[in-house]
Amino acid sequence: MIAFISDVHSNLAALEAVLADIHAVGGSDARIWCLGDTVGYAAQPAECLDLVLDRCEVVLAGNHDLAVSGDDRASEDVVPGLFDGGPGAGIALARQVLGSERIARMQSLEPSALLDNVELHHGSDRDPIWEYVRTAETATAHLRAQQRELGAVGHTHMPLLWELPAAAEVASGGLMPAGSSILLERGTARVFNPGSVGQPRDRDPRAAWASLEGGVLTFRRVDYDIAAAQASIRAAGLPTETADRLELGW
Ligand code: ZN
């Protein structure tokens, strides 16, 4: 089994719940691929980064990771206001607590990878760092550029699946409900997003991940201790909105 996780965003309680669920579903041989944004927003970037680097076979860099590690592709020049508000506070906290060794490891991560013939990006293939694949239009553009039949992306914090059969003009798809499964028969280009571990934005506050086994892709959700995550965010002095949104799933 391959487990896809993304957008952990320093939420240790959610990450631990997802890792336990991956173990329960796929056993100790489960391979875990992380699509980026391990840090940012919440209060435990160091703990999350250590666990992700230790457990995952591939770890992409997301826009927040790149901002924390000082990459030119995620700077104020590229995105004015990047270091303001909730995102800015999470980036500043991560820079304070990660230490130079972790930052150096983060600087070696890239926003795209190709593994087992699956194309992986944090954002999209047109813009691996910043583009959101969340509409039929962006999914169509992504799938026309995608070099492999199957791709996986993060960044939107929503569990999504889009497909573009050879004869189709426009991609179809959208949000994938908890527990939904699809058999990936050959001949159709697809891209999916497993949803977010640490800050879901589809109005379902449970942590999200996806499994791929025997050609079947399954979108999964797991409860975690949201109150504990919120308490750690408040204790760290981060914006209250960063804590409040977790129970809304938005
Ligand atoms: Zn994110």
Side-chain angles (χ1 to χ4, degrees), residues 6-9 36-39 41 62-64 122 132 154-157 196 199 201:
S6 192
D7 297 278
V8 172
H9 281 304
D37 274 0
T38 302
V39 305
Y41 281 113
N63 49 311
H64 289 254
H122 180 65
Y132 292 94
H155 196 42
T156 65
H157 298 210
S196 168
Q199 195 192 87
R201 293 181 191 162

Side-chain angles (χ1 to χ4, degrees), residues 2-246:
I2 301 169
F4 295 84
I5 65 172
S6 192
D7 297 278
V8 172
H9 281 304
S10 310
N11 186 338
L12 182 63
L15 177 60
E16 286 176 335
V18 164
L19 291 174
D21 203 34
I22 290 171
H23 190 267
V25 173
S28 51
D29 306 337
R31 304 164 69 188
I32 311 175
W33 298 358
C34 175
L35 304 174
D37 274 0
T38 302
V39 305
Y41 281 113
Q44 291 171 287
E47 295 88 337
C48 291
L49 185 67
D50 290 348
L51 257 181
V52 162
L53 289 172
D54 181 54
R55 304 289 280 278
C56 297
E57 188 177 349
V58 62
V59 179
L60 300 187
N63 49 311
H64 289 254
D65 304 321
L66 292 167
V68 167
S69 67
D71 193 287
D72 287 345
R73 295 169 290 178
S75 67
E76 271 275 358
D77 296 339
V78 178
V79 179
L82 178 65
F83 298 109
D84 298 344
I91 290 165
L93 177 105
R95 282 182 163 176
Q96 250 170 49
V97 303
L98 285 177
S100 56
E101 260 177 57
R102 288 193 189 90
I103 298 277
R105 283 207 66 185
M106 290 181 74
Q107 285 167 342
S108 70
L109 306 178
E110 285 298 327
S112 300
L114 178 65
L115 214 62
D116 287 15
N117 223 21
V118 182
E119 198 177 308
L120 310 174
H121 304 281
H122 180 65
S124 74
D125 44 19
R126 293 196 300 187
D127 183 345
I129 300 170
W130 292 106
E131 188 178 32
Y132 292 94
V133 179
R134 69 176 160 208
T135 62
E137 194 184 12
T138 50
T140 303
H142 172 94
L143 287 167
R144 292 209 184 287
Q146 185 172 287
Q147 300 293 307
R148 300 299 195 283
E149 206 161 77
L150 184 62
V153 297
H155 196 42
T156 65
H157 298 210
M158 293 178 185
L160 294 162
L161 175 68
W162 299 96
E163 41 188 47
L164 186 66
E169 292 280 303
V170 180
S172 57
L175 277 177
M176 296 302 284
S180 52
S181 274
I182 175 167
L183 174 67
L184 303 179
E185 75 282 358
R186 305 307 302 264
T188 292
R190 293 189 180 84
V191 62
F192 72 94
N193 187 319
S196 168
V197 171
Q199 195 192 87
R201 293 181 191 162
D202 61 342
R203 310 247 178 232
D204 179 344
R206 294 176 295 171
W209 66 283
S211 64
L212 179 60
E213 185 164 36
V216 176
L217 180 65
T218 303
F219 292 83
R220 300 176 182 275
R221 302 305 276 258
V222 57
D223 284 310
Y224 75 96
D225 192 343
I226 293 177
Q230 291 176 317
S232 72
I233 289 165
R234 294 190 182 108
L238 288 163
T240 142
E241 176 210 322
T242 300
D244 295 344
R245 65 189 303 170
L246 294 183

